[in-house]
Amino acid sequence: QVQLVESGGGLVQAGDSLRLSCAASGGAFSSYSLGWFRQAPGKEREYVARQWSAGAGRTYVADIVDSVKGRFAISRDNVKNTVYLQMNSLKPEDTAVYYCAASERQLYFTGTSPGDYDYWGQGTQVTVSS
């Protein structure tokens, strides 16, 4: 059973940066597709980013949703079994609970829906004040 634990959220001002971390335990972390979602109050869970393996040699491909492209980046450290979401130039509309997720499948054509993932963290709150 894979367990995911997010950290790094907090209260920041518009224009600030945050780096969210998601530490995984159990399972074959380096082979998983990893994703980040967010959910604002009263809204559905929204896809933010994902990363999947491009094949042998542990080359990874990343996708970022258009609304945060150029400001957010996803990365991973397979030694630390951790996936990161670097968030720069934060805006009040980025306020949400951020969740990391993992899938045992390679999410190349899919991965933007919560149902594509097998495991979820508990979430970390990010609040951006104007």
Side-chain angles (χ1 to χ4, degrees), residues 16-119:
D16 286 349
S17 297
L18 276 177
R19 188 177 77 160
L20 305 183
S21 301
C22 175
S25 60
F29 179 84
S30 62
S31 67
Y32 288 162
S33 296
L34 301 169
W36 285 95
F37 287 73
R38 65 185 182 185
Q39 189 166 18
K43 295 187 177 181
E44 294 186 351
R45 195 164 295 191
E46 173 190 32
Y47 168 72
V48 176
R50 77 184 189 278
Q51 190 183 66
W52 66 92
S53 175
R58 296 302 176 213
T59 300
Y60 297 95
V61 181
D63 177 69
I64 307 290
V65 71
D66 286 345
S67 60
V68 303
K69 193 167 292 184
R71 298 191 297 121
F72 289 15
I74 184 173
S75 62
R76 74 169 73 194
D77 184 331
N78 288 337
V79 174
K80 296 181 178 180
N81 283 3
T82 300
V83 59
Y84 302 99
L85 184 68
Q86 178 67 44
M87 306 185 295
N88 300 324
S89 302
L90 282 162
K91 303 176 180 180
E93 51 262 44
D94 295 320
T95 295
V97 177
Y98 283 72
Y99 299 89
C100 68
S103 172
E104 297 179 359
R105 296 162 291 161
Q106 291 312 314
L107 301 179
Y108 178 67
F109 293 108
T110 58
T112 61
S113 170
D116 294 328
Y117 295 84
D118 305 304
Y119 309 104

